Amino acid sequence: PAEASSDIMAASTSSSASWLADLTTKNGEAVELSALSGKAVALYFSAHWCPPCKRFTPILKDLYEEVNEDDAKFEVVFVSSDDSAALAKEYMEEMHGDWLMISYDSPVREALKQKFGCFAGKEQGKFPSSERRNGIPALVVVGQDGSELCFNGTSAVEGKGPAAVADWAAW
């Protein structure tokens, strides 16, 4: 697992999007990375048990639906901090938009938490050498190569709404 995590982290500096593997739909169907091409992509670090997440998720869902109504230009990728795959799936089904997620059992999920420093306080023990930059919810907008474009996406969504996505799409 640690070796796989370091391989994924190393891949994150490559020019391909291989750093974002194991994408699935709400229904668990595999998704090709090409589905992200030409879209603004935001990693959504969240969990069903987190009250601030439950407050922000409907806001993000409404924004996602609004900006993608005519043309799909924004994709959210859920990176779960839930306690099990079943709870992550339940949270996706109950509250999330029709966006993607990293498979719960994928080492990519933990690697992304480490790379961006976004995870629940109770997860800090899993990442003793990682700086926790933000708790959950966190929305990090990323480039096709995995580079961080906007770290505080939650504030941008709440403050600018659809204009935030227009800004991200221009990058």
Side-chain angles (χ1 to χ4, degrees):
E3 186 176 292
S5 180
S6 64
D7 289 346
I8 292 162
M9 296 300 280
S12 71
T13 60
S14 74
S15 61
S16 73
S18 62
W19 60 275
L20 194 57
D22 301 323
L23 285 173
T24 66
T25 64
K26 273 185 177 183
N27 300 326
E29 297 170 19
V31 175
E32 295 294 322
L33 291 172
S34 60
L36 302 178
S37 182
K39 296 180 183 178
V41 177
L43 302 175
Y44 183 41
F45 300 87
S46 183
H48 82 284
W49 51 262
C50 165
C53 297
K54 285 190 165 187
R55 184 190 65 74
F56 181 73
T57 300
I59 295 168
L60 182 59
K61 179 182 179 190
D62 289 347
L63 174 79
Y64 180 86
E65 291 170 354
E66 180 180 344
V67 301
N68 287 325
E69 187 173 13
D70 295 325
D71 183 29
K73 58 187 167 199
F74 178 51
E75 191 58 67
V76 173
V77 177
F78 175 44
V79 183
S80 178
S81 284
D82 286 300
D83 296 325
S84 71
L87 290 171
K89 182 173 174 32
E90 181 180 315
Y91 181 39
M92 279 285 288
E93 290 171 353
E94 288 179 4
M95 295 192 74
H96 289 231
D98 271 338
W99 53 67
L100 306 176
M101 73 180 292
I102 300 292
S103 296
Y104 188 86
D105 296 326
S106 171
V108 173
R109 187 174 65 89
E110 300 298 310
L112 289 171
K113 291 178 190 181
Q114 286 182 283
K115 175 180 172 69
F116 294 102
C118 297
F119 45 86
K122 71 181 191 174
E123 294 179 293
Q124 181 69 61
K126 292 182 190 179
F127 313 116
S129 61
S130 296
E131 175 189 355
R132 183 170 176 245
R133 296 172 61 202
N134 202 52
I136 57 174
L139 190 69
V140 180
V141 180
V142 295
Q144 294 294 312
D145 63 351
S147 60
E148 180 181 305
L149 301 177
C150 174
F151 185 73
N152 201 357
T154 51
S155 291
V157 165
E158 290 175 322
K160 296 177 75 177
V165 176
D167 291 347
W168 301 332
W171 297 339

